[in-house]
């Protein structure tokens, strides 16, 4: 039978191709090419199959290394191993956990025999499926609060790590016996020592290319990356076996925020990351890292921030750090009205020489369309077009300046800070750009940096005296004066509610800023919401949302390319197949959904959300709404424009966003 012509038909699904490869072992290279994630396959992505077997929310998904097995775990306390290509259960493991399972992992190089799980009962269990389907070979009860994540390293078959809401991040070596609360040293990081007694561990990830690097997330805005080669493992704070969890917390809190008593974590072994505007966030909404993962090449860190957006950090380039806020006279020198690092000052001529003043025709056309969208108050459309133009021409000051204006008008979470970054880039390329100077002052003011805004505005007036009498300039000057007079300047106040160690203060001061930002989803309701790279080169980003959908972004432009309805309420987990265009998702529903490219047969994909901007705008308002407003959204009422809407000298902006579909959010 000649299968190659059939395989080459567009009507074949990815799972069909995989089955043909497995069963017939034919033309593997030809098939493998067709399985790679491409723009065409992303545009056809749709629901392939629903896997039913759990009776509770599915909180975690995990592919084995070859992609032949999918593991899932749930509130029902079971782990199920699936054959995803035949849609069949291979095994149902009744774990014995007494709480919701939040994480499951295959131990590397174990031939998929060894599984590790962590759960809400504060327990970690390890199963060797070749030995027993009922009894764990290893049980750990060192954590005193829920275990939220397990991490493994592909190149290290005997180690795994855990993140617990007790603020502990533990390391386990399967080669040695383990007795809980013994003299064993298995504490990699005790965050309570440095960040205070309210800190909770939420997630952990190991760099597959550099397994010495471990990133952890907590219930704050900081991402922490440790070089474990420099850390001395320590003991869990001593506690009698009869002491209750609440008493144990009190027992250990005497060290909270006072530093590590044994100095097990040297100052130089840690690097912190944070989206710059979250340093000075003054909001009642909590910020929590719900998921983080390293890129396949080990150079980037992708982070899903609960209560905020998704961020990509460059772990190798410290120049993405303190360049936008907290401009210190010792480290920064003013150029015009922008704060520029001294190293940038020395290379200023290089920046200005790179400024592209005459855009290539295709970029000029994108700019024209973006400007038109801006005039029509379609600010997300304008931003998307500027993003494409900047990808094609990354050193044109006019593109950054225009995008900054669009960010300021749209005013989603983090947009003002993104505009500030664009203003700085504009001024590096074109120090005489008038609007970028003025907008920089406006951004600083809107970020509650009134003193810095005042300094920038005064510099602007000296540099461009003809604008001193401008009405917008006068209005901003009055607003800044009022803010300073009333003490509304974040840079002059200490918003820390709890003491932190001296090391923690230093690590936070040296935090690295983000490289890219991905917006559109809503992440406020659950603390296990994932974001992952998708594609053999990580060319797409995927994440779930509280509105029951999941989003796909183009990594290079940060633009949304697809939104699909993935759950009746909330999508939490998205795990791409390790080698094919196949995606597994789960959420509040007790089912797992498999997504692959659908045949090009003209059928409508009923799960596709076509108005991407409406979906993203609805989620931005959802993130800033109280429960009553969300109820109105669910009933189909129209809500007023986002309260943080920013207007600049180009005029006021009044928006009204309608919501045709917004689903209930319930925590897992």
């Amino acid at each position: 039978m000649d299968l190659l012509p059939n395989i080459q038909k567009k009507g074949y699904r990815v799972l069909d191709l995989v089955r043909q490869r497995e069963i017939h072992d034919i033309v593997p290279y030809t098939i493998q090419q067709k399985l790679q994630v491409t723009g065409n396959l992303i545009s056809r992505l749709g629901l392939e199959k629903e896997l039913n077997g759990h009776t509770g929310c599915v909180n975690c998904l995990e592919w084995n290394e070859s992609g032949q097995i999918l593991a899932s775990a749930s509130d029902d306390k079971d782990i199920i191993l699936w054959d995803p290509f035949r849609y069949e259960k291979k095994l149902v493991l009744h774990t014995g956990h007494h709480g919701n399972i939040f994480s499951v992992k295959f131990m590397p190089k174990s031939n998929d025999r060894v599984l590790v799980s962590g759960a809400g009962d504060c327990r970690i269990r390890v199963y060797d499926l070749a030995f027993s389907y009922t009894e764990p070979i290893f049980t750990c009860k060192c954590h005193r609060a829920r275990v939220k994540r397990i991490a493994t390293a592909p190149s290290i078959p005997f180690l795994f790590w855990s993140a617990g809401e007790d603020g502990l991040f533990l390391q386990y070596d399967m080669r040695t016996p383990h007795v809980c609360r013994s003299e064993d040293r298995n504490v990699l990081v005790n965050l309570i020592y440095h960040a205070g007694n309210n800190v909770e561990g939420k997630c952990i990830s190991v760099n597959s290319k550099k397994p010495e690097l471990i990133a952890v997330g907590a219930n704050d805005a900081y991402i922490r990356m440790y070089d474990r080669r420099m850390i001395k493992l320590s003991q869990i704070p001593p506690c009698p076996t009869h002491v209750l969890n609440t008493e144990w917390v009190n027992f250990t809190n005497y060290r909270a925020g006072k530093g590590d008593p044994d100095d097990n974590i040297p100052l130089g072994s840690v690097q912190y990351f944070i989206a710059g505007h979250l340093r000075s966030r003054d909001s009642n909404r909590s910020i929590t890292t719900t998921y983080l993962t390293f890129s396949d090449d080990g150079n980037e860190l992708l982070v899903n921030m609960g209560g905020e957006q998704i961020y990509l950090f460059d772990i190798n380039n410290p120049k993405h750090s303190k360049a936008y806020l907290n401009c210190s006279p010792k480290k920064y020198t003013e150029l015009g009205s922008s704060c520029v690092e001294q190293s940038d000052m020395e290379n200023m001529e290089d920046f200005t020489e790179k400024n592209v003043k005459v855009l290539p025709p295709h970029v000029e056309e994108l700019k024209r369309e973006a400007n038109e969208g801006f005039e029509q108050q379609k600010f997300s459309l304008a931003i998307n077009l500027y993003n494409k133009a900047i990808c094609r021409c990354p050193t044109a000051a006019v593109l950054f300046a225009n995008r900054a204006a669009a960010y300021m008008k749209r005013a989603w979470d983090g947009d003002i800070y993104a505009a500030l970054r664009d203003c700085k880039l504009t001024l590096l390329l074109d120090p005489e750009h008038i609007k970028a100077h003025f907008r920089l002052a406006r951004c600083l003011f809107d970020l509650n940096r009134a003193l810095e805004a005042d300094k920038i505005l005064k510099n602007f007036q000296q540099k461009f005296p003809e604008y001193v009498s401008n009405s917008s300039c006068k209005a901003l000057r009055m607003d800044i004066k009022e803010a300073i007079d009333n003490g509304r300047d974040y840079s002059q106040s200490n918003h820390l509610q709890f003491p932190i160690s001296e090391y923690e203060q230093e690590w936070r001061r040296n935090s690295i800023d983000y490289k890219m930002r991905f917006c559109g989803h809503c992440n406020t309701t659950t603390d296990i919401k994932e974001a992952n790279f998708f594609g053999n080169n990580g060319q797409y980003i995927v994440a779930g949302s509280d509105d029951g959908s999941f989003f796909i972004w183009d990594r290079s432009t940060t633009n949304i390319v697809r939104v699909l309805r993935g759950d009746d309420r909330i999508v939490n987990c998205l795990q791409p197949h390790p080698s094919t265009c196949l995606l597994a998702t789960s959420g509040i529903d007790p089912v797992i959904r498999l997504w692959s490219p659908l045949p090009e047969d003209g059928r409508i994909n009923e799960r596709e959300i076509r108005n991407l901007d409406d979906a993203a705008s609805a989620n931005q308002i959802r993130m800033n709404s109280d429960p009553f407003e969300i109820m109105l959204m669910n009933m189909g009422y129209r809500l007023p424009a986002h309260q943080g809407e920013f207007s600049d000298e180009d005029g006021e902006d009044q928006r009204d966003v309608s919501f045709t579909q917004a689903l209930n959010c319930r925590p897992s």
Side-chain angles (χ1 to χ4, degrees), residues 559-626:
N559 291 343
I560 302 168
V561 293
R562 296 292 302 283
V563 181
L564 294 164
R565 182 67 56 193
D567 193 275
D568 285 342
R569 285 159 289 186
I570 298 173
V571 178
N572 283 322
C573 305
L574 301 94
Q575 288 294 326
H577 188 275
S579 60
T580 70
C581 188
L582 176 63
L583 184 68
T585 69
S586 68
I588 301 301
D589 293 347
V591 301
I592 299 152
R593 292 182 171 90
L594 298 176
W595 307 81
S596 69
L598 300 179
E600 293 182 313
D601 54 11
R603 285 183 293 177
I604 296 175
N605 185 345
E606 295 181 351
R607 287 189 169 265
E608 182 172 16
I609 297 174
R610 299 193 177 278
N611 194 324
L612 307 183
D613 187 42
D614 271 4
S617 298
N619 277 331
Q620 289 303 305
I621 293 186
R622 181 187 295 274
M623 284 205 295
N624 289 280
S625 299
D626 63 27

Side-chain angles (χ1 to χ4, degrees), residues 214-226:
I214 295 183
V216 306
N219 57 334
D220 62 17
Y222 289 90
I223 312 302
R224 299 154 169 94
M225 186 178 71
Y226 299 87

Side-chain angles (χ1 to χ4, degrees), residues 386-394 516 554 556-558:
Y386 290 134
N387 289 343
K388 292 180 179 179
I390 288 171
C391 278
R392 291 163 173 77
C393 189
M516 306 181 89
D554 177 82
S556 59
T557 64
T558 73

Side-chain angles (χ1 to χ4, degrees), residues 43-55:
S43 69
R44 292 162 45 200
L45 200 69
L47 182 62
E48 172 77 28
K49 188 69 174 179
E50 292 185 349
L51 304 180
N52 292 281
H54 286 291
T55 58

Side-chain angles (χ1 to χ4, degrees), residues 195-239:
N197 54 20
N198 284 335
V199 70
E200 298 177 355
K202 293 295 185 181
C203 47
I204 183 168
S205 181
V206 182
N207 191 320
S208 61
K209 289 294 189 291
K210 307 168 187 175
E212 68 274 11
L213 299 180
I214 295 183
V216 306
N219 57 334
D220 62 17
Y222 289 90
I223 312 302
R224 299 154 169 94
M225 186 178 71
Y226 299 87
D227 187 334
R228 62 185 179 88
R229 297 172 301 180
M230 303 172 66
I231 296 176
K232 294 182 294 182
L233 295 179
S234 60
Q235 292 178 256
I236 291 178
C239 175

Side-chain angles (χ1 to χ4, degrees), residues 627-639:
F628 178 72
E629 289 176 329
I630 292 177
M631 180 185 70
L632 294 179
M633 291 166 59
N634 296 338
M635 295 169 63
Y637 284 88
R638 294 164 65 89
L639 295 179

